[in-house]
Amino acid sequence: FLLALPHIRLEHIPLWNSSQFFLPFGILVFALAGWDAIPEISSLFKERKEKKNVDNVILLAAAVVIPLYLVFAFLGDLLGGH
């Protein structure tokens, strides 16, 4: 990547393509389909303290994974979605 950096020209990268705005939508919907498993996993834990830990893990994982999916979806749209 660092070797190619001087050869990158921004005029070759379209910054906005309204005809393909919803292209990454399918990626996001598929990626977030695992939300259905959360109630089942949470029901495996009996104690309130264990359930609270599961909630914290779910929130932390979502805070990390959702931005990553967004970055890859929009980069895929910008770089390969012509």
Side-chain angles (χ1 to χ4, degrees):
F1 177 76
L2 293 176
L3 295 175
L5 195 59
H7 303 288
I8 294 175
R9 295 197 177 142
L10 291 178
E11 60 265 12
H12 295 293
I13 301 173
L15 297 178
W16 180 257
N17 188 350
S18 61
S19 67
Q20 297 179 345
F21 180 73
F22 288 105
L23 182 67
F25 183 72
I27 296 168
L28 294 174
V29 170
F30 178 75
L32 298 174
W35 284 104
D36 295 341
I38 292 174
E40 189 172 337
I41 292 170
S42 183
S43 69
L44 296 174
F45 298 97
K46 304 289 183 206
E47 296 179 19
R48 183 126 175 105
K49 185 178 180 182
E50 288 177 337
K51 284 188 178 187
K52 184 172 175 69
N53 288 338
V54 171
D55 292 343
N56 290 339
V57 168
I58 290 169
L59 291 175
L60 178 64
V64 170
V65 170
I66 291 172
L68 285 175
Y69 278 123
L70 289 171
V71 166
F72 280 105
F74 288 111
L75 276 178
D77 183 40
L78 287 175
L79 300 177
H82 340 294

